[in-house]
Amino acid sequence: MSGELSPIDKAKFVAAKRAADYVEDGMRVGLGTGSTAAWLVRCIGEMVRNDGLRIKGVPTSTRTAELARDVGIDVISLDEAKWLDLTIDGADEFDGDLNLIKGGGGALLQEKIVATASDQMIVIADVGKEVETLGAFPLPVEVIPFGWQTTQALVEETLISMDVLGRSSSLRMNGARPFVTDEGNHILDLYLNRIGNARQLSLVLNQMPGVVENGLFIDICDAVVIGYGDGRVEVRDINQGTIEQDRLDFVETDNLFTDLAD
């Protein structure tokens, strides 16, 4: 299976495979949402089936919960877990300080709650997600459905005083209807191009009535595992100030995921 992967999927897979090394027996682990996080869930599922790994998984979306159960992970809620040893999740962008933009998959609220309820957060990403300055990826902002157009207007007006290059936004759609999060909310995508002061923007957005949460993850990520299409992996730990490099070999006959649909 691995030999059939595209370079981008190889990068996601090796990042997920390397990050799975952080998971130890008996842990309570937050499981992220998105294509890269899905590889991680599958890798952990293999460890559960083949190595007897015993963990409690706390998913950040219904999609992740379904996949985790399919691969044999014992799924519990955050309320049952109380606190987590580790959360591993993807990111839409990350900068040199390991600040993130997340929410491209629409699960930013649960992802942020789970990540901040963890002793450690590890981000897994392909190298294309690294940026010098956040903002090229549209910033998701979760808003309640009531008065969302008024909230959108207030957000755009507030952006005038923020250090950003773009100030337009759009309601995320799912076909002909507004996208609805697991919590029953909508998402506004902000096209900012460049965010000069992510910390300030995050605080201002979250003070606005109608805004539930935004996709800026500031001072939450502890380490990032970066995958490359040729199998190389780089691990940057911001707390220890270390950078480690490795390479994972692909086995052309590897059937790790042949029983699962993408």
Side-chain angles (χ1 to χ4, degrees):
M1 174 67 176
S2 298
E4 302 169 3
L5 297 178
S6 67
I8 189 70
D9 279 333
K10 286 181 180 179
K12 292 178 179 180
F13 170 63
V14 294
K17 188 74 170 176
R18 175 63 179 83
D21 292 342
Y22 285 90
V23 180
E24 300 177 3
D25 200 58
M27 276 188 168
R28 293 158 296 178
V29 181
L31 304 173
T33 295
S35 58
T36 311
W39 288 113
L40 170 81
V41 173
R42 294 172 180 181
C43 289
I44 294 176
E46 183 194 34
M47 296 164 66
V48 169
R49 295 191 303 272
N50 297 345
D51 304 329
L53 178 71
R54 296 169 298 173
I55 68 162
K56 302 290 185 181
V58 175
T60 54
S61 67
T62 54
R63 301 192 303 280
T64 298
E66 291 170 359
L67 177 59
R69 292 188 182 98
D70 285 345
V71 300
I73 297 173
D74 187 7
V75 171
I76 63 173
S77 70
L78 182 58
D79 286 334
E80 291 175 294
K82 301 292 192 280
W83 194 259
L84 305 177
D85 300 288
L86 172 69
T87 287
I88 306 178
D89 202 349
D92 298 302
E93 283 186 349
F94 68 91
D95 66 14
D97 294 322
L98 303 195
N99 293 317
L100 322 169
I101 286 182
K102 290 179 51 55
L108 66 97
L109 177 58
Q110 291 190 19
E111 288 174 337
K112 189 174 282 190
I113 292 171
V114 169
T116 54
S118 306
D119 287 336
Q120 188 177 27
M121 183 197 184
I122 308 296
V123 161
I124 47 178
D126 61 86
V127 67
K129 302 297 174 60
E130 183 175 11
V131 296
E132 184 175 341
T133 305
L134 298 176
F137 190 90
L139 176 64
V141 177
E142 187 158 339
V143 300
I144 65 171
F146 175 80
W148 71 263
Q149 290 176 308
T150 299
T151 303
Q152 181 181 29
L154 289 171
V155 168
E156 291 184 349
E157 181 179 356
T158 301
L159 290 175
I160 296 174
S161 62
M162 295 289 101
D163 184 8
V164 295
L165 292 182
R167 299 181 179 89
S168 63
S169 67
S170 66
L171 180 69
R172 187 176 300 184
M173 303 297 290
N174 182 14
R177 299 187 177 187
F179 176 86
V180 178
T181 71
D182 281 351
E183 300 302 316
N185 298 315
H186 295 333
I187 288 184
L188 298 176
D189 288 309
L190 311 187
Y191 303 95
L192 308 177
N193 300 319
R194 177 186 177 277
I195 301 173
N197 190 331
R199 187 184 308 276
Q200 179 192 46
L201 178 61
S202 179
L203 290 172
V204 169
L205 286 172
N206 280 6
Q207 290 175 348
M208 301 183 65
V211 171
V212 180
E213 188 53 83
N214 70 82
L216 288 167
F217 283 52
I218 310 297
D219 297 334
I220 295 176
C221 176
D222 295 287
V224 61
V225 182
I226 307 167
Y228 294 79
D230 60 1
R232 287 180 296 133
V233 180
E234 182 174 291
V235 181
R236 301 180 194 170
D237 190 310
I238 197 166
N239 298 319
Q240 298 182 12
T242 58
I243 299 176
E244 299 177 4
Q245 296 182 338
D246 198 0
R247 180 184 294 273
L248 300 182
D249 294 325
F250 289 95
V251 180
E252 297 290 333
T253 58
D254 185 8
N255 62 353
L256 178 60
F257 309 126
T258 53
D259 58 332
L260 297 168
D262 250 342

